[in-house]
């Protein structure tokens, strides 16, 4: 079974509309113990996903059903699956909307999977290690993703982009204890300097964790400073509430032309959808439904400008030329990182798990490692937690002018959040 055959079967079916996604991934994988290669393999996979649509008799409602069809399926098996999906779609009743129309293809360069893998291996070989801090193991995945999207409106676009991931286990130890830290990085290709710097910092965190003292009970008296990829979750909350589905379902209370945060005493956020970011793993020219991706301002200087999202929910809200962003940029800070790193604050760098609920804004994170700054003194602490609600804290949020990229997000290098509750390790 291939995409052309499946397209013909969909055209021959009784579907009122259809969409076909053909994703081909060619990749290399490497598994290292310490720096010794344990195993490696080459992957070449293809996934064919179809969605069929069926209108109600009066044409006001549209049902859909989706399924992956294996490349090993025969035509008869694929035809049977399509018929079954059409039967399922009959029971789904959503307000009618149209699929995306024809879009232009862009000329794209095919990434060099071999070179990307080589760059990762070379970068890992140059990580500085000592007798008490070293690399336990790591896994490297480098891919060339080729995705072709077709639908019944004549859309037929192909995107090609690089995607990579590396997972690393770092160990630090002293005479009494050993700390193991896990790191995962998603990128387009290898940023060797950023990778090594992050791993060196992880080793430092491991060393400090071995000598950390209990976190004191601080309440809401000092702000929390985020300087790692956990800060991305703060900005994901705003991106979620700028999504058309959240707005249509009345979860998002953002209103176009109005402030997204009331009573702002800190910095005013600007959030952008980006067509591409250097070394992002999501630099496709079209979204998962074939809509062209472009640069777009979602929130500007704290004011809601544009909701974006899937074709269905964008249609319901009357949003034209919408798409599902793959990359985001958050900015808006007026102070430098050094200026924000002044006074008394808790810099939380390791959590057992840090979460911000995309709907409610509730914050929860158990502290594994933090630095309690008080002027010229720094205490290394562990235990306790950070909690609160981002809706209540966002008005006092401050952001650095400097930015750091984590995967498909470009965010302020440090984010200072006031009003969160900091509990101590020994609190009952």
């Amino acid at each position: 079974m291939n995409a052309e055959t499946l397209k013909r079967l969909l055209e021959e079916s009784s579907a009122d509309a259809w969409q076909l996604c053909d994703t081909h991934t060619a990749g290399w994988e490497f598994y290292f113990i310490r720096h010794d290669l344990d195993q490696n393999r080459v992957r070449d996979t293809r996934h064919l996903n179809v969605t069929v649509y069926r209108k109600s008799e009066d044409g006001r409602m549209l049902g859909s059903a989706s399924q992956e069809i294996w490349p090993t399926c025969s035509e008869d098996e694929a035809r049977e699956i399509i018929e079954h999906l059409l039967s399922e779609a009959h029971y789904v009743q959503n307000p009618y909307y149209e699929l995306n129309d024809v879009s232009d293809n862009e000329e794209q360069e095919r990434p060099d999977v071999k070179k990307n893998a080589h760059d990762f291996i070379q970068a890992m070989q140059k990580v500085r290690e000592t007798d008490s801090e070293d690399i336990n193991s790591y896994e490297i995945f480098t891919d060339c993703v080729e995705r072709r999207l077709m639908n019944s409106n004549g859309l037929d676009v192909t995107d090609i982009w690089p995607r990579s991931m590396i997972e690393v286990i770092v160990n630090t130890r002293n005479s009494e204890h050993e700390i193991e830290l896990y790191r995962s990085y998603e990128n387009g290709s290898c940023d060797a300097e950023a990778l090594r710097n992050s791993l060196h910092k992880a080793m430092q965190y491991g060393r400090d964790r071995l000598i950390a003292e209990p976190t004191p009970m601080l309440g809401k008296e000092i702000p929390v400073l985020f300087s790692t990829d956990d800060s991305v979750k703060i900005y994901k909350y705003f991106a979620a509430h700028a999504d058309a589905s959240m707005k249509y379902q009345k979860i998002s209370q953002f209103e176009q032309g109005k402030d997204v945060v009331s009573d702002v005493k800190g910095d005013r956020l600007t959030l952008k959808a980006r067509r591409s970011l250097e070394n992002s793993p999501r630099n496709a020219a079209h979204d998962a439904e074939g809509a062209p991706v472009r640069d777009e301002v979602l929130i500007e200087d704290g004011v809601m400008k544009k909701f974006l999202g899937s074709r269905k929910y964008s249609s319901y809200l009357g949003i034209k030329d919408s798409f599902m962003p793959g990359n985001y940029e958050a900015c808006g800070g007026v102070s430098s990182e050094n200026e924000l790193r002044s006074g008394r604050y808790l810099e939380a760098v390791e959590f057992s798990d840090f979460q911000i609920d995309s709907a409610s804004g509730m914050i929860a994170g158990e502290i594994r490692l933090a630095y309690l700054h008080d002027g010229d003194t720094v205490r290394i602490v562990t235990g306790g937690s950070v909690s609160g609600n981002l809706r209540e804290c966002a008005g006092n949020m401050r952001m650095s002018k400097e930015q750091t990229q984590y995967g498909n997000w470009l965010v302020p290098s440090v984010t200072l959040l006031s009003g969160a509750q900091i509990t101590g390790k020994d609190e009952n």
Side-chain angles (χ1 to χ4, degrees):
M1 180 60 57
N2 56 43
E4 290 299 331
T5 301
L6 196 49
K7 176 184 177 183
R8 174 174 56 80
L9 295 178
L10 288 164
E11 291 173 334
E12 293 173 354
S13 74
S14 60
D16 293 306
W18 54 265
Q19 179 173 291
L20 169 60
C21 178
D22 176 11
T23 306
H24 176 218
T25 304
W28 287 22
E29 299 178 6
F30 297 85
Y31 303 83
F32 286 84
I33 305 298
R34 304 296 180 184
H35 291 287
D36 296 325
L37 181 63
D38 182 59
Q39 59 178 300
N40 68 288
R41 64 179 180 176
V42 175
R43 287 182 295 107
D44 195 308
T45 61
R46 169 162 263 114
H47 295 275
L48 297 165
N49 290 277
V50 300
T51 301
V52 297
Y53 301 84
R54 171 163 280 178
K55 291 190 289 188
S56 61
E57 290 185 4
D58 61 8
R60 298 173 58 188
M61 308 300 286
L62 185 70
S64 65
S66 304
Q67 183 174 322
E68 180 171 356
I69 295 181
W70 303 109
T72 54
C73 281
S74 67
E75 284 195 31
D76 288 341
E77 289 171 328
R79 191 177 288 109
E80 184 177 340
I81 291 172
I82 291 170
E83 290 303 314
H84 177 70
L85 290 175
L86 286 168
S87 177
E88 289 184 338
H90 177 75
Y91 297 101
V92 179
Q93 297 291 301
N94 290 314
Y96 182 80
Y97 63 95
E98 288 281 349
L99 303 187
N100 285 308
D101 292 323
V102 176
S103 177
D104 292 334
N105 268 305
E106 293 186 9
E107 188 172 342
Q108 300 162 69
E109 183 179 351
R110 187 172 294 276
D112 189 337
V113 174
K114 179 179 179 181
K115 181 182 183 303
N116 288 347
H118 176 268
D119 291 344
F120 273 110
I121 294 171
Q122 290 291 104
M124 291 302 298
Q125 298 290 336
K126 294 179 181 178
V127 173
R128 296 191 306 273
E129 299 175 272
T130 69
D131 291 340
S132 58
E133 300 122 27
D134 54 33
I135 302 297
N136 176 294
S137 56
Y138 54 97
E139 301 179 4
I140 297 170
F141 307 85
T142 60
D143 294 327
C144 170
V145 182
E146 182 173 354
R147 183 183 65 194
R148 183 184 179 191
L149 289 160
M150 295 171 277
N151 70 21
S152 49
N153 281 355
L155 176 79
D156 191 344
V157 293
T158 300
D159 291 320
I160 304 171
W161 70 95
R163 183 181 65 194
S164 63
M165 183 174 73
I166 179 168
E167 297 178 298
V168 186
I169 303 295
V170 173
N171 285 117
T172 61
R173 65 191 70 81
N174 59 20
S175 59
E176 297 178 352
H177 301 286
E178 183 167 349
I179 297 292
E180 182 177 278
L181 296 178
Y182 168 81
R183 290 292 186 268
S184 176
Y185 307 93
E186 291 187 64
N187 296 104
S189 54
C190 177
D191 185 338
E193 183 179 2
L195 174 61
R196 288 195 297 269
N197 288 342
S198 179
L199 291 175
H200 294 153
K201 191 172 291 186
M203 291 179 187
Q204 175 195 328
Y205 292 163
R207 289 195 305 271
D208 291 343
R209 176 67 178 83
L210 290 167
I211 59 173
E213 58 185 86
T215 304
M217 292 188 254
L218 299 166
K220 297 182 179 180
E221 65 182 77
I222 65 172
V224 181
L225 186 141
F226 295 88
S227 58
T228 69
D229 60 348
D230 285 318
S231 62
V232 171
K233 296 175 183 178
I234 295 172
Y235 301 103
K236 281 186 174 181
Y237 168 82
F238 292 96
H241 284 256
D243 187 272
S245 67
M246 294 278 274
K247 183 61 180 174
Y248 180 78
Q249 296 173 80
K250 303 187 185 305
I251 299 172
S252 172
Q253 300 303 308
F254 290 0
E255 295 288 344
Q256 197 162 358
K258 295 183 179 180
D259 286 348
V260 298
V261 176
S262 60
D263 193 25
V264 178
K265 296 182 177 64
D267 293 329
R268 301 181 72 87
L269 172 68
T270 293
L271 181 66
K272 305 173 184 177
R274 292 288 302 273
R275 158 63 182 85
S276 64
L277 288 175
E278 185 178 358
N279 211 34
S280 166
R282 299 186 184 177
N283 279 342
H286 301 84
D287 71 9
E289 297 176 330
V293 176
R294 64 184 184 278
D295 289 345
E296 187 75 67
V297 177
L298 307 178
I299 300 169
E300 186 173 28
D301 199 25
V303 177
M304 186 66 212
K305 290 293 185 181
K306 183 88 171 182
F307 290 95
L308 293 174
S310 68
R311 181 70 173 178
K312 179 170 74 172
Y313 289 109
S314 296
S315 296
Y316 295 165
L317 294 178
I319 304 171
K320 299 186 182 300
D321 299 324
S322 189
F323 60 93
M324 294 180 284
N327 301 299
Y328 292 90
E329 178 183 3
C331 52
V334 297
S335 304
S336 68
E337 179 176 346
N338 286 337
E339 288 172 327
L340 293 181
R341 288 182 175 277
S342 62
R344 194 163 185 245
Y345 61 91
L346 183 76
E347 181 179 2
V349 297
E350 291 285 327
F351 291 94
S352 60
D353 186 25
F354 180 71
Q355 298 181 9
I356 298 180
D357 185 81
S358 61
S360 68
M362 293 301 297
I363 301 169
E366 181 183 352
I367 299 170
R368 288 293 177 87
L369 179 67
Y371 300 95
L372 180 54
H373 296 255
D374 191 356
D376 295 330
T377 66
V378 180
R379 291 168 59 189
I380 303 170
V381 298
T382 184
S385 64
V386 174
S387 60
N389 193 296
L390 186 57
R391 291 180 179 178
E392 299 171 3
C393 300
N396 295 314
M397 187 168 72
R398 299 184 67 194
M399 301 164 277
S400 67
K401 292 185 290 187
E402 300 90 343
Q403 293 175 296
T404 300
Q405 185 173 337
Y406 301 102
N408 63 317
W409 278 84
L410 182 63
V411 300
S413 298
V414 300
T415 301
L416 199 64
L417 201 62
S418 299
Q421 180 81 22
I422 305 169
T423 60
K425 185 176 182 179
D426 56 345
E427 182 169 289
N428 293 324

